[in-house]
């Protein structure tokens, strides 16, 4: 097995472990814990604009909150059509946030602010990007690595935009697979 494949598989397994933990927690809370968290969180849950604002901010700021939490929120509409639409919108926002990160890295890489962000938050990924190259885009798109942060690094290396946009489309694959798993877990 090649080093790049091993890197992808390790990160994919970490992501699946995190996802399994999140699903298990959701399942336990839903079926075994007698807490009406829905009533407690209703003031936030009922404000769709607030959910999308928080999600968008999170995606633009290195994916602070996992998209899977927002996919779970989308389940409350109890319609597969609505759920698919909302997950698609989340995926589009994530893709755009990654592209914005790419542009930020490409055009602002000489600023003091960007050098601080790269050093403070993205240092460990910088060496991975030098080692694995464009393969990092794929890994960041389908695993829990910070997609917009990796995209920023890719942009700072002046990787061709057209190629970046093509590889970054794999982000939609992650959202599709996770959305299916979340939907099916909710039916149990």
């Amino acid at each position: 097995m090649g080093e790049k494949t091993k890197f992808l598989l390790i990160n994919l397994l970490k992501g699946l472990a995190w996802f399994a933990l999140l699903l298990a927690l959701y399942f336990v809370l839903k079926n075994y814990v007698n807490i009406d968290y829905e009533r407690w969180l209703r003031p936030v849950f009922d404000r769709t604009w607030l959910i999308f604002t928080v999600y968008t901010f999170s995606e633009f700021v290195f994916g602070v909150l996992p998209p899977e939490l927002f996919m779970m929120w989308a389940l409350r509409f109890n319609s597969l059509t609505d759920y698919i639409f909302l997950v698609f919108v989340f995926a589009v926002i994530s893709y755009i946030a990654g592209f914005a990160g790419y542009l930020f890295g490409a055009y602002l890489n000489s600023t003091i602010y960007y050098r601080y962000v790269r050093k403070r938050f993205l240092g460990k990924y910088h060496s991975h990007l030098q080692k694995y190259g464009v393969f990092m885009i794929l890994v960041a798109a389908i695993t829990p690595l910070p997609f917009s942060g990796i995209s920023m690094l890719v942009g700072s290396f002046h990787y061709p935009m057209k190629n970046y946009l093509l590889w970054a489309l794999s982000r939609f694959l992650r959202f599709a697979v996770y959305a299916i798993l979340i939907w099916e877990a909710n039916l149990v």
Side-chain angles (χ1 to χ4, degrees), residues 13-172:
L13 288 173
K14 285 180 187 176
L16 289 175
W18 163 250
F19 181 64
L21 178 67
L22 198 59
L23 275 182
L25 181 63
Y26 172 76
F27 183 76
V28 167
L29 286 175
K30 179 182 170 204
N31 295 311
Y32 298 109
V33 177
N34 193 13
I35 297 174
D36 189 8
Y37 68 90
E38 198 41 64
R39 183 176 60 86
W40 183 64
L41 293 173
R42 189 168 292 129
V44 174
F45 280 6
D46 287 344
R47 293 187 174 117
T48 303
W49 66 268
L50 181 60
I51 297 293
F52 276 96
T53 301
V54 168
Y55 176 74
T56 302
F57 179 76
S58 173
E59 285 298 294
F60 275 89
V61 184
F62 309 122
V64 175
L65 299 170
E68 295 78 21
L69 293 176
F70 296 91
M71 290 180 203
M72 289 176 186
W73 166 82
L75 290 169
R76 67 191 306 267
F77 292 95
N78 294 323
S79 160
L80 181 58
T81 306
D82 290 342
Y83 180 69
I84 290 170
F85 173 74
L86 289 169
V87 169
F88 179 73
V89 172
F90 288 142
V92 169
I93 291 169
S94 183
Y95 183 79
I96 291 170
F99 182 55
Y102 171 90
L103 292 174
F104 186 76
Y107 298 110
L108 300 176
N109 67 352
S110 61
T111 65
I112 293 171
Y113 173 74
Y114 177 76
R115 285 192 299 248
Y116 171 76
V117 167
R118 185 172 57 195
K119 181 179 180 183
R120 175 83 166 102
F121 299 106
L122 302 171
K124 67 180 179 178
Y125 300 115
H126 189 269
S127 63
H128 287 320
L129 184 59
Q130 288 178 321
K131 187 173 186 177
Y132 300 114
V134 70
F135 196 71
M136 275 294 289
I137 299 169
L138 177 64
V139 172
I142 64 175
T143 69
L145 290 179
F147 180 62
S148 60
I150 301 298
S151 297
M152 187 183 300
L153 281 175
V154 170
S156 73
F157 277 76
H158 297 290
Y159 185 75
M161 184 185 302
K162 192 183 297 184
N163 293 349
Y164 164 79
L165 291 171
L166 183 63
W167 280 100
L169 284 173
S170 58
R171 186 77 171 158
F172 287 94

